[in-house]
Amino acid sequence: MINRSLKTFGNVEVSFLDRIVEVLSLLVLIGLWSLTYYFQHQSLDIVPEGYDFFSNPNEYWASRMTYSVPFVATILYVGLTLYNKRVQHGDFAVEINKENGPALSQINKRLWRWLKLNILLMFVVVEYFSFHTGSNAGSGISGWFIFVFPLLLFGPVIYFFVEFSKNQLK
């Protein structure tokens, strides 16, 4: 449901829930970098230099690639944040009237905020389980997560699609 009590933040209207989602996204990104840093330094004690996590000799050593996941997540975070800040005129496949336009635009922005948070959460889970698998502390991502990934990704899409449809029919 759209929060009708919006406050202006720059040129973008942001509700309290939207601010919480933005702060959580930033905290998850910081947590991803911290988790990677922690496991990187912990892995120096577990895996001898010159070997990867699977005990194969490697001149590049797999740990040099561990920062690639948070780096890609940071690029994604910045890109989605910048995309969501730009004013979106005429991005809808249907004709929008002037009364519903702001509400539909707000739903679109909320969708991208939630997707950003959920995708960052997926990066954290992948990074966490990859370190545990590589250090023989686990056996990869759990089977139950095969249901959580689509839920995290498509849950907000379905919810905001329904919201968009309700507001479009008004």
Side-chain angles (χ1 to χ4, degrees):
M1 189 114 193
I2 291 188
N3 186 351
R4 300 288 180 200
S5 61
L6 300 172
K7 296 180 181 177
T8 302
F9 183 71
N11 292 334
V12 180
E13 295 177 348
V14 180
S15 70
F16 181 71
L17 179 62
D18 293 334
R19 291 178 194 199
I20 290 173
V21 170
E22 285 291 335
V23 169
L24 283 175
S25 296
L26 183 61
L27 290 175
V28 167
L29 183 64
I30 291 169
L32 177 62
W33 278 98
S34 302
L35 181 77
T36 304
Y37 179 81
Y38 171 75
F39 281 127
Q40 171 71 23
H41 290 284
Q42 184 182 18
S43 69
L44 293 175
D45 298 332
I46 298 171
V47 180
E49 189 166 345
Y51 289 88
D52 63 11
F53 279 126
F54 303 105
S55 300
N56 299 322
N58 183 353
E59 74 179 84
Y60 297 109
W61 193 43
S63 69
R64 293 184 182 163
M65 295 301 294
T66 57
Y67 287 106
S68 62
V69 171
F71 183 72
V72 169
T74 302
I75 291 172
L76 180 88
Y77 175 84
V78 170
L80 287 176
T81 301
L82 292 176
Y83 172 76
N84 212 15
K85 286 195 182 286
R86 79 177 173 93
V87 178
Q88 298 166 0
H89 296 291
D91 286 353
F92 303 107
V94 295
E95 189 175 327
I96 304 297
N97 61 27
K98 291 186 179 191
E99 295 89 31
N100 293 347
L104 296 176
S105 179
Q106 185 67 20
I107 291 170
N108 188 30
K109 290 179 181 292
R110 280 186 152 178
L111 168 67
W112 285 107
R113 283 188 187 101
W114 278 98
L115 285 176
K116 178 173 56 175
L117 174 63
N118 290 346
I119 291 170
L120 289 172
L121 286 171
M122 286 187 242
F123 274 115
V124 168
V125 169
V126 167
E127 189 78 353
Y128 177 80
F129 282 115
S130 67
F131 276 110
H132 274 76
T133 300
S135 62
N136 288 329
S139 61
I141 295 178
S142 302
W144 60 268
F145 211 73
I146 203 88
F147 299 108
V148 174
F149 266 120
L151 183 66
L152 282 175
L153 189 58
F154 294 115
V157 172
I158 293 169
Y159 173 78
F160 287 110
F161 176 76
V162 169
E163 286 296 315
F164 190 87
S165 298
K166 280 194 248 179
N167 281 290
Q168 185 182 4
L169 295 174
K170 288 183 180 178

